[in-house]
């Protein structure tokens, strides 16, 4: 039987409970015979115990995490010789391929916090481990052939002197889907869009809805909703440079086993965008998908669009789009009013910067989800009609 390992799935800060919903749903789809073992959850992520290959596969299956780490050690250390010693005893020849990985260090309330010294102790420890247990030639050859690729980084995290060492299985951040090429003004990260869509829809009944993004930009929300059950085989992942994967004989079968599916929550995806140039990009991004994006001004009057409409909006914040002076809470209220008149939505989700202190009536509010978008504190408000 394949060995079990701990994987820490990182989510945008504060949103791991929504990420966990996706994890549970998709685990049941792809691994129906096995109960998911969740070890812990905190505001930054979720720790699970699964087989190594299952952990790797989550990179293809999940759409809301930032990255997925394989946890390799946890120990207390308050001095560098101890850190060196602990690292040198790890079986690096089974985890790395002879490289000196880049080290991402973070420390809170811990004696060891100087990232340069941490990196040195870790690198020396890895060299010592390689010296005692040499890396096999076939892995060294793989390293030679892939030197310029995104090789796994090592993550060092210290909290109150308790250190966790992990190796990245993702590589370039997971929100890079590998298939979307063109971005408009201030696009939202795909992983965030995916999480917010889950928040908007998770407790609704199954009837197919029309998803409308009336300020669709390059189309991120519509594409993420449309591709929600798509398996991502369009990009490489860092786990593909792990010894275990290099040795694995059934790579193609492993990937082919996971089947993409349609998102049954939506029957139609509709977007509007005012800017012609951005509209052109959105149309390119959605070629071959059942997504319609047209030119439209959110404030223009039109016929009411009948049907079970769900609305999602990431309006301009001013800061990044350059209309700061016109953007205040009244602007967002006007957007909401216009959307209600035109689409009579079952529900409406809108991102508004925290600084505007938008304060909807409690009877209108389904949820209020604070997060950071490009560093800016914002709130995703989910409103009833
Ligand atoms: C923050 S961006 C949305 C980004 C989008 N969610 C994405 O990920 O690409 C806001 C978009 O609203 C568009 N916009 C601004 N005013 C508009 C209006 N009155 N009607 C429709 N779209 C508008 C802008 O051109 C911009 O593309």
């Amino acid at each position: 039987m394949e060995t079990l390992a701990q994987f820490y799935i990182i989510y945008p800060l504060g949103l791991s409970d929504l990420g966990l919903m996706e994890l549970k749903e998709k685990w049941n789809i792809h691994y129906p015979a096995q109960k998911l073992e969740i070890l812990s959850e905190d505001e930054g992520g979720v720790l699970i115990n699964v087989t190594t290959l299952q952990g790797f596969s989550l990179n293809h299956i999940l759409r809301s995490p930032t990255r997925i780490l394989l946890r390799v050690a946890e120990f207390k250390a308050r001095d560098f010789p101890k850190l060196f010693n602990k690292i040198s005893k790890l079986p690096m020849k089974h985890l790395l391929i002879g490289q000196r990985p880049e080290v991402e260090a973070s420390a809170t309330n811990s004696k060891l916090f100087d990232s340069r010294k941490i990196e040195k102790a870790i690198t020396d420890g890895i060299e010592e481990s390689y010296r005692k247990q040499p890396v096999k030639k076939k892995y060294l050859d793989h390293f030679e052939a892939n030197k310029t690729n995104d090789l796994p980084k090592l993550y060092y995290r210290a909290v109150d002197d308790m250190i966790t060492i992990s190796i990245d299985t993702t590589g370039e951040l997971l929100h890079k889907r590998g298939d979307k090429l063109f971005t408009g003004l201030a696009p939202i990260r795909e992983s965030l869009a995916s999480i917010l869509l889950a928040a908007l829809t998770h407790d609704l009944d199954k009837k197919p809805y029309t998803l409308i993004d009336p300020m669709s930009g390059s189309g991120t929300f519509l594409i993420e909703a449309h591709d929600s059950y798509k398996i991502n085989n369009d990009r490489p992942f860092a786990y593909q440079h792990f010894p275990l994967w290099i040795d694995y004989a059934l790579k193609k079968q492993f990937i082919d086993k996971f089947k993409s599916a349609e998102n049954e929550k939506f029957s139609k995806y509709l977007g509007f965008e005012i800017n012609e140039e951005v509209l052109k990009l959105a149309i390119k991004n959605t070629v071959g998908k059942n997504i319609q994006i047209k030119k439209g001004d959110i404030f223009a009057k039109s016929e009411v669009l009948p049907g079970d409409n769900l609305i999602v909006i990431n309006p301009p914040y001013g800061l990044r789009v350059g209309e700061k002076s016109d953007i205040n809470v009244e602007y967002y209220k006007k957007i909401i009013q216009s959307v209600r008149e035109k689409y009579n939505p079952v529900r409406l989700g809108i991102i508004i910067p925290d600084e505007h202190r938008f304060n909807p009536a409690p009877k209108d509010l389904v949820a209020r989800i604070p997060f950071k978008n490009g560093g800016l504190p914002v709130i995703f408000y989910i409103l009833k009609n």
Side-chain angles (χ1 to χ4, degrees), residues 86-358:
K86 284 280 184 190
I87 297 288
S88 70
K89 291 199 171 114
L90 292 175
M92 290 303 179
K93 68 168 190 174
H94 297 307
L95 298 166
L96 302 173
I97 50 175
Q99 80 271 40
R100 291 185 186 165
E102 253 181 70
V103 176
E104 290 280 337
S106 72
T108 312
N109 192 28
S110 297
K111 275 224 151 145
L112 306 185
F113 59 85
D114 181 330
S115 55
R116 270 213 247 147
K117 288 185 186 161
I118 291 169
E119 181 159 1
K120 169 133 183 34
I122 290 176
T123 307
D124 290 351
I126 290 172
E127 291 294 345
E128 179 64 11
S129 169
Y130 286 160
R131 206 182 53 75
K132 286 192 295 204
Q133 299 186 59
V135 175
K136 283 188 194 161
K137 179 164 182 317
K138 66 173 165 179
Y139 304 146
L140 293 172
D141 290 347
H142 180 99
F143 174 39
E144 269 312 306
N146 289 278
K147 270 190 162 155
T148 54
N149 289 339
D150 220 354
L151 294 176
K153 288 186 189 172
L154 188 143
Y155 280 68
Y156 166 101
R157 183 161 181 263
V159 179
D160 299 332
D161 298 321
M162 183 56 93
I163 290 158
T164 48
I165 303 291
S166 308
I167 301 179
D168 179 33
T169 71
T170 301
E172 205 181 7
L173 288 177
L174 259 185
H175 75 88
K176 295 275 182 199
R177 304 303 193 208
D179 54 357
K180 192 177 127 184
L181 301 172
F182 310 100
T183 52
L185 307 163
I188 187 156
R189 268 195 181 174
E190 287 79 351
S191 41
L192 273 174
S194 167
I195 291 188
L196 300 182
L197 286 162
L200 184 69
T201 60
H202 74 95
D203 59 337
L204 289 173
D205 53 18
K206 276 246 150 84
K207 78 172 98 168
Y209 295 90
T210 298
L211 181 69
I212 305 174
D213 182 347
M215 300 180 115
S216 67
S218 49
T220 314
F221 273 122
L222 298 165
I223 295 169
E224 280 307 307
H226 180 276
D227 288 351
S228 183
Y229 295 88
K230 185 177 170 212
I231 300 299
N232 191 352
N233 289 334
D234 294 330
R235 51 159 281 179
F237 294 103
Y239 79 78
Q240 290 154 348
H241 304 291
F242 275 58
L244 183 108
W245 182 253
I246 296 166
D247 282 345
Y248 191 58
L250 305 173
K251 293 187 176 68
K252 191 166 156 26
Q253 289 92 320
F254 170 82
I255 299 298
D256 288 351
K257 189 165 74 185
F258 305 107
K259 299 280 175 244
S260 295
E262 299 278 309
N263 187 351
E264 290 176 353
K265 271 185 209 126
F266 301 111
S267 54
K268 259 173 120 177
Y269 302 86
L270 207 53
F272 298 94
E273 168 56 48
I274 201 166
N275 180 318
E276 297 252 4
E277 291 309 309
V278 177
L279 176 66
K280 279 188 204 151
L281 303 179
I283 290 172
K284 280 193 199 167
N285 287 335
T286 51
V287 166
K289 300 188 198 281
N290 166 31
I291 298 175
Q292 261 189 303
I293 304 188
K294 302 179 198 168
K295 180 150 190 204
D297 179 345
I298 200 165
F299 301 117
K301 296 269 177 265
S302 69
E303 297 287 302
V304 174
L305 195 81
D308 293 311
N309 298 326
L310 280 181
I311 307 289
V312 65
I313 321 173
N314 180 23
Y317 305 154
L319 291 174
R320 294 195 273 175
V321 187
E323 314 104 331
K324 178 82 178 159
S325 54
D326 302 333
I327 292 188
N328 50 39
V329 74
E330 293 310 317
Y331 171 76
Y332 296 106
K333 286 185 183 166
K334 217 171 97 188
I335 288 179
I336 293 168
Q337 190 194 343
S338 171
V339 160
R340 281 183 165 149
E341 284 169 13
K342 285 209 254 200
Y343 305 116
N344 190 24
V346 176
R347 223 173 236 193
L348 178 169
I350 180 167
I351 304 174
I352 300 181
D354 196 10
E355 61 173 325
H356 295 301
R357 302 274 167 234
F358 176 57

Side-chain angles (χ1 to χ4, degrees), residues 27-28 31-38 49-50 54:
W27 182 270
N28 289 335
Y31 296 107
Q34 192 189 333
K35 192 174 175 311
L36 174 64
E37 192 183 343
I38 298 163
N49 195 35
V50 295
Q54 286 170 337

Side-chain angles (χ1 to χ4, degrees), residues 69-97:
L69 305 180
L70 171 69
R71 188 164 279 189
V72 296
E74 191 171 19
F75 52 84
K76 269 221 162 185
R78 292 198 183 84
D79 58 67
F80 287 108
K82 173 124 189 230
L83 175 60
F84 164 84
N85 206 15
K86 284 280 184 190
I87 297 288
S88 70
K89 291 199 171 114
L90 292 175
M92 290 303 179
K93 68 168 190 174
H94 297 307
L95 298 166
L96 302 173
I97 50 175

